[in-house]
């Protein structure tokens, strides 16, 4: 199975290309839809990597794929600017999930 990257910046794409992962750079909603449709149409694609910025900007597109498709796996990754999450993201996630304060 292949991994495909959909990024919002060329630096992330370049880094992934060095690791052997093909991908594209998009900025607009229609570009994202077209890139996702192309990746979803390829039966060899098992994982689609998408930058957090794109998933935050267009959650309706991303959530639709996550909720309605088993394959490929859609994984959000931070870009060169780091994660858009708070520093205590994991702790607060565990607190919320199990109801205990750590």
């Amino acid at each position: 199975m292949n991994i495909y990257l959909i990024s919002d910046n060329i630096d992330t794409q370049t880094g992934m290309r060095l690791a052997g992962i093909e991908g594209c750079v998009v900025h607009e909603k229609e570009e994202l839809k077209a890139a996702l449709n192309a990746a979803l149409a390829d039966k060899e694609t098992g994982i689609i990597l998408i930058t957090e910025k794109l998933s935050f900007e267009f959650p309706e597109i991303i959530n639709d794929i996550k909720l309605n498709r088993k394959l490929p796996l859609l994984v959000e990754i931070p870009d060169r600017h780091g994660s858009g999450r708070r520093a205590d993201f994991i702790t607060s996630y565990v607190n919320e999930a199990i109801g205990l304060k750590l």
Side-chain angles (χ1 to χ4, degrees):
M1 288 200 173
N2 296 330
I3 301 174
Y4 191 77
L5 169 73
I6 301 175
S7 177
D8 62 305
N9 67 66
I10 193 74
D11 296 332
T12 302
Q13 182 194 27
T14 302
M16 290 298 184
R17 290 272 328 255
L18 291 172
I21 298 172
E22 294 297 322
C24 65
V25 177
V26 300
H27 299 287
E28 303 294 326
K29 186 175 187 175
E30 294 306 316
E31 292 176 322
L32 175 60
K33 284 183 181 181
L36 280 169
N37 287 336
L40 294 171
D42 182 2
K43 299 300 180 194
E44 288 297 313
T45 302
I47 300 173
I48 298 174
L49 303 176
I50 187 165
T51 53
E52 285 181 339
K53 182 180 176 189
L54 286 174
S55 67
F56 290 149
E57 287 180 8
F58 308 110
E60 66 282 353
I61 297 171
I62 305 307
N63 291 337
D64 180 51
I65 293 171
K66 284 184 174 181
L67 294 173
N68 297 316
R69 298 182 68 102
K70 290 184 180 182
L71 287 176
L73 179 64
L74 192 63
V75 180
E76 299 168 7
I77 61 169
D79 64 6
R80 65 187 168 100
H81 300 293
S83 178
R85 298 178 177 145
R86 299 186 328 250
D88 67 341
F89 163 73
I90 294 175
T91 305
S92 63
Y93 185 72
V94 171
N95 288 343
E96 183 180 320
I98 62 175
L100 296 174
K101 182 167 176 121
L102 299 176

